[in-house]
Amino acid sequence: MTTIGIVLCVMVLWGLAIGLLGGALVNPWLIGAIGFGLAAMIFPLFLRWIAGENAGGTGRRILRISIYFLLVVPTAISAIMGLNLAGGGEPVTVRAEIASKLTKKVNDYRRVGRNRRVYTGSHNDYYLRLRLPDGREIDRRVNAGVYAATRSGGSATVRYHRGLFGIDVIDSVGVSVKQRGPGKKHVRREIRRVPKRQADDAGQSRGVSEQ
């Protein structure tokens, strides 16, 4: 397999794994650790490819070990979450409390060279922290309009599936927002999951304020 092919496979597999973990009501590091453990368990099956006569020197063997875990760990995570979701029960809808509203300041950078980025300003990301009836809390990213129209102490509806392995996976979240104008009717807005913006480099910083 060529270097480009390996890089593409790693990107696709990790993208799938992160996508499946995105709606799970569980610490992603826990699932990651389980995936790493499964990869380590089946590692001896690939030992001949990694450390055989044709493996080359120490540097090449270390590279093959890295490639192995970069490919197998996300595959194990995806398998765990896929089976969890496929074998789950019927969806459950509960009412959650809007515990707080959060604003995260994100610094923006623009690439001006191969290894250089220039600060271009900042923007805010908006989140609602929802508290489920069992005490668990989740953060949900929303647009500025929904953020402004909701208040702490309000309510939201959360629909989730109970997975095969006991891992709950969120299906949808809806909040009641107050419309402006005559009548001021309340309408339900569904919040689609928006992945958190990832930093472009180690220099990107975030500031968090809670209301």
Side-chain angles (χ1 to χ4, degrees):
M1 184 181 293
T2 64
T3 302
I4 295 178
I6 292 174
V7 171
L8 289 175
C9 285
V10 169
M11 292 176 63
V12 170
L13 288 172
W14 277 105
L16 177 61
I18 293 172
L20 289 172
L21 279 172
L25 291 172
V26 66
N27 189 333
W29 290 105
L30 174 61
I31 305 300
I34 295 174
F36 184 85
L38 291 175
M41 287 176 60
I42 64 174
F43 179 77
L45 299 177
F46 298 86
L47 197 58
R48 183 175 180 180
W49 172 73
I50 294 172
E53 296 179 357
N54 299 325
T58 303
R60 191 173 181 85
R61 292 180 181 183
I62 293 175
L63 177 61
R64 288 194 174 191
I65 292 174
S66 301
I67 292 173
Y68 168 81
F69 281 102
L70 284 173
L71 291 173
V72 178
V73 171
T75 301
I77 294 173
S78 299
I80 293 170
M81 297 306 300
L83 290 172
N84 177 75
L85 187 59
E90 295 296 322
V92 178
T93 301
V94 297
R95 184 169 295 277
E97 176 191 358
I98 301 176
S100 60
K101 301 166 63 175
L102 300 92
T103 303
K104 297 184 179 181
K105 184 178 179 181
V106 182
N107 292 333
D108 297 322
Y109 295 87
R110 177 172 57 88
R111 187 186 295 273
V112 295
R114 178 174 296 181
N115 299 314
R116 187 178 172 217
R117 291 181 173 86
V118 176
Y119 174 77
T120 58
S122 62
H123 70 274
N124 290 328
D125 285 345
Y126 302 97
Y127 295 83
L128 298 180
R129 177 160 293 171
L130 308 178
R131 182 179 295 118
L132 300 179
D134 57 9
R136 290 180 294 180
E137 292 185 344
I138 57 174
D139 291 346
R140 206 68 170 181
R141 186 178 172 186
V142 299
N143 59 44
V146 173
Y147 181 86
T150 55
R151 61 180 178 80
S152 298
S155 63
T157 56
V158 178
R159 185 172 183 265
Y160 65 90
H161 288 79
R162 176 59 56 87
L164 177 65
F165 303 129
I167 303 173
D168 296 334
V169 180
I170 296 176
D171 184 28
S172 64
V173 176
V175 297
S176 178
V177 299
K178 199 171 188 179
Q179 289 182 323
R180 296 179 179 179
K184 296 183 179 180
K185 297 180 180 179
H186 285 77
V187 296
R188 183 180 180 276
R189 294 273 185 89
E190 181 174 329
I191 304 174
R192 298 185 179 275
R193 183 173 61 85
V194 181
K196 294 183 179 179
R197 187 185 297 272
Q198 296 183 351
D200 291 333
D201 53 42
Q204 185 171 18
S205 63
R206 291 176 181 263
V208 181
S209 63
E210 186 170 344
Q211 298 180 359

